[in-house]
Amino acid sequence: MSVLLEHSSMHRARPLVFAAALALVAAACTSGGSLSTGDQEGSFTGSDGVASSVSDTSRIVTLSGDLTEFVYELGAGSAVVATDITTVHPQEAALLPKVGIGRFLSTEAVLAQNPTLVIGDTQTGPQSAIDQIRAAGVPVVILDTSTTFSSMYAKIGQLGEILDAGAEAEALTDQLRRDVAEAGAVNPPSQESPSIAYVYTRGPDVMLLFGNDMVTNPVIAAAGARDAGALSGVNGSIPVTPEALIAAAPDIIVVPSEGLETLGGIDGLLGIPGIAQTPAGASGYILAYPEGDFLTLGPRVAESVAALTNDLRDLGVIP
Amino acid sequence: MTLTQTSRAALWFLAASVLLLVVIGASLSLGAVNISITEVLSWATGQSPDGSLSGRVLSGVRLPRTLAAVAVGAALAASGAALQGIQRTPVVDAHLMGISGAAGLGVAIGYTIAPTGASSQTAVLLGVVTGIGYGLLSRRFTAANSGSLVGVLVGIGAGLALMAWTGLFVLLVDSADVPTLSFFIFGSLSGASWALVAMAVPLVVASVAVLWWMGPGLDLLALGERASMQLGFDVRRRVPLALAAIGVAVGASVALGGVIGFVGLIVPLTIRPLLGSVNRLMIPASAIGGAIIVVAFDILARTLAAPIEIPIGLLTASVGGPVLVWLIRRETA
């Protein structure tokens, strides 16, 4: 049996380049940012420890898809003048000029938008570009790259402070907490829960197994499943080798729908060495979601959780 | 020197200086932010309004980058000319000799061990130290082969090993403070900051001046080391001094723009037929020529596929690789 579920209900993502996937390889982050008390008003200390004076939020450049979506949700969307290429939602943001890839920033592409505020995360780089933009007098606020729900909620709070939208941030956080709880599985993952390997692919030459500290990790857990990559000790992402996949022995494999298309559908995926030898490959339990949706730990995350949970229920692997 | 030779040299320097100013102007004007040459001129004369976007881009991003490109080109080409004198072959430059590779390893280590707030300075310092160290060491295993391509082959082997060690180091350290692997293989001027420029450019100026001052001695080396010693050139002291100056220039240039190949090969090769082999002319002429080439290639690097930058070393190697093949065939024919 071969089960393939594509989700037309979710927004179709633009194809992203491979680098965008690398941009999702999150580093473990501990230090959160805060509006320092006692400082002048509008001074925000980011996750990189740099205090930026944010006085003008009329022209914002966002450097990650989740940041863009949160800024829109907090009511400051009309001030966003450009984004990086990982922004696919909302529609009006997707149509804005792109300044490149957040992780491989071009100083001039950002400055050309004449921004008054640049919002990035700990994945934004290179540091020299951030330094140059700051040297040109434009504040660059660096937030945590969230790979857990709690750090995502903290990030919403920080954006609320920066954008002077504290009440909106609180309301959004409450709403998301409820939505995620409602969308997710009844039971938290246990030893008996199915294991899911998220395999990022852009075609046969680009195959990455995601694990801990990745945006997919909390979504898999919320859907009541175990993360096969994390269980086999993968931190961030590693290039897939047949051995690594067989060792991870996932019951289900999740891939981006764009990548599955490039591979020529499910048969193409099963032709990749190692895939067919996993329990998921043997049973044909392959799920695919557009990467711009599934790989964004943003305001639409409850939709991703709901989609995965419902598909796992349809497969009969969770109650 | 006859009058015609003198006037030809004067004419060359005049034309090259004008060309250098033109490419510097283009480098300041071209980029993702639209800045007209009129705006550049009014900024340069201090008439640009305070805090304007173009003013901030020019003084914060493009001026340090352009200065870095000038310094990198001058350092690599002048070093190339001097090395060709020392090795008595036109088929050599700091990259082929492995000096750039050694400096790259030093720069990578510098960024790793740098105290907070002093990363640029530490990187330049370690790049220069390893550049000098390797330059002096290279004398031990290439001196016997000066005048033949064997010395160059030894340098290429050492350079490849150093590049591999740098790559391993960068990947194993895996730190956001260290530039990417690409910087140490194909170079990039995108990280040029005032901190780097302030530290590295004076070192380049000083070391190129030392090489220029040593020019007549390097001329004598063309007769062979024994003959030049008989003519009063203290080979045992002066050659290591020249190699140390080359180490300083190359170390500073690698800290500024990473490992960029072939500039030191192509530029003296192009200039020598026009100006002859006199190093008092060749070294400053190569410095200017190298500056022109690197500024021009950097403009291409950041505009051809904007907003994504092409590593500048890919462009110099695209041209320099075939030149090297042609040169070796000519030398061995």
Side-chain angles (χ1 to χ4, degrees), chain A residues 106 108-109 111-112 114 128 132 136 138, chain B residues 31-33 53 56 62 190-192 307:
Chain A
S106 152
E108 289 219 8
L111 290 177
N114 202 5
S128 57
Q132 286 169 343
V138 179
Chain B
V33 180
L53 175 66
R56 281 181 285 150
R62 289 201 195 150
S190 69

Side-chain angles (χ1 to χ4, degrees), chain B residues 298-323:
Chain B
D298 184 52
I299 295 172
L300 291 178
R302 60 196 161 90
T303 53
L304 277 183
I308 291 164
E309 290 200 10
I310 300 168
I312 183 172
L314 283 183
L315 299 174
T316 58
S318 305
V319 179
V323 170

Side-chain angles (χ1 to χ4, degrees), chain B residues 269-286:
Chain B
L269 180 79
T270 315
I271 295 173
R272 204 171 278 114
L274 301 170
L275 291 184
S277 298
V278 180
N279 277 306
R280 271 278 157 94
L281 290 180
M282 268 305 288
I283 286 171
S286 295

Side-chain angles (χ1 to χ4, degrees), chain A residues 23 39 48 109-110 122 129 136 234 307 314:
Chain A
D39 269 357
D48 57 352
V110 174
T122 48
V234 175
D314 289 349

Side-chain angles (χ1 to χ4, degrees), chain B residues 7-94:
Chain B
S7 51
R8 176 193 281 200
L11 197 65
W12 189 93
F13 275 99
L14 183 70
S17 303
V18 170
L19 189 55
L20 180 58
L21 285 177
V22 169
V23 291
I24 287 174
S27 172
L28 291 172
S29 168
L30 295 170
V33 180
N34 234 333
I35 303 178
S36 69
I37 199 76
T38 333
E39 278 178 281
V40 172
L41 288 175
S42 69
W43 165 81
T45 50
Q47 289 158 8
S48 173
D50 271 355
S52 68
L53 175 66
S54 54
R56 281 181 285 150
V57 169
L58 284 170
S59 52
V61 181
R62 289 201 195 150
L63 185 60
R65 182 171 186 150
T66 305
L67 286 177
V70 168
V72 166
L76 294 179
S79 301
L83 272 174
Q84 289 163 16
I86 294 168
Q87 290 298 120
R88 293 192 290 127
T89 169
V91 195
V92 72
D93 73 352

Side-chain angles (χ1 to χ4, degrees), chain A residues 202-290:
Chain A
R202 292 299 310 169
D205 299 328
V206 179
M207 304 274 287
L208 297 171
L209 175 61
F210 283 18
N212 284 311
D213 296 329
M214 297 299 286
V215 293
T216 43
N217 191 256
V219 175
I220 290 171
R226 296 177 300 152
D227 187 330
L231 284 176
S232 58
V234 175
N235 292 315
S237 66
I238 58 163
V240 165
T241 60
E243 300 255 342
L245 261 185
I246 295 167
D251 299 317
I252 294 147
I253 290 175
V254 178
V255 293
S257 23
E258 296 86 349
L260 193 63
E261 216 167 282
T262 319
L263 286 171
I266 197 158
D267 291 335
L269 181 67
L270 290 174
I272 303 279
I275 299 261
Q277 288 75 36
T278 61
S283 58
Y285 283 5
I286 313 285
L287 302 173
Y289 308 100

